[in-house]
């Protein structure tokens, strides 16, 4: 999985922000810790986060407020990792 990285012993996900949204979001990449040392668990959590990010990008394209977007990113990340 291309977006999976290790930082020390813990895995994280690196998601590229689509070119058309980079200026609006002010980011080229989004890094989120998966809070696990186990590759199989990290892959499963990464898949969930990829789907969440795709939904967020779709919502951004539908012109949502940037404060709401940041809250959604934080909420999706935390909720997805817990599940």
């Amino acid at each position: 999985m291309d977006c999976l990285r290790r930082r020390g012993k813990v895995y994280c996900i690196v998601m590229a922000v689509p070119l058309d949204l980079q200026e609006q979001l002010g980011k080229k990449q989004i890094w989120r810790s998966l809070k696990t040392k186990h590759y199989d668990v990290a892959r499963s959590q990464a898949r969930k986060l990829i789907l969440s990010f795709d939904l967020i990008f779709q919502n951004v394209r539908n012109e949502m407020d940037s404060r709401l977007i940041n809250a959604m990113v934080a909420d999706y990340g935390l909720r997805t990792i817990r599940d």
Side-chain angles (χ1 to χ4, degrees):
M1 187 171 273
D2 292 340
C3 60
L4 215 52
R5 303 277 189 276
R6 271 181 82 175
R7 289 185 126 181
K9 294 182 180 182
V10 178
Y11 284 94
C12 65
I13 185 174
V14 181
M15 187 76 178
V17 175
L19 290 174
D20 62 320
L21 300 177
Q22 287 180 3
E23 185 176 328
Q24 188 174 359
L25 295 177
K27 298 179 181 205
K28 292 184 179 185
Q29 294 179 331
I30 299 173
W31 288 68
R32 290 290 177 260
S33 173
L34 298 172
K35 299 180 181 171
T36 184
K37 297 176 184 179
H38 304 284
Y39 180 74
D40 292 335
V41 175
R43 280 185 53 172
S44 175
Q45 291 176 347
R47 285 188 192 110
K48 293 176 187 178
L49 279 176
I50 289 169
L51 291 174
S52 297
F53 285 136
D54 286 339
L55 177 63
I56 290 168
F57 295 150
Q58 185 177 19
N59 288 334
V60 171
R61 287 187 177 106
N62 293 333
E63 300 191 35
M64 293 179 69
D65 182 78
S66 64
R67 286 175 288 168
L68 180 58
I69 294 163
N70 288 335
M72 285 178 60
V73 168
D75 184 52
Y76 271 108
L78 292 174
R79 199 168 357 124
T80 305
I81 289 172
R82 284 188 214 135
D83 293 341

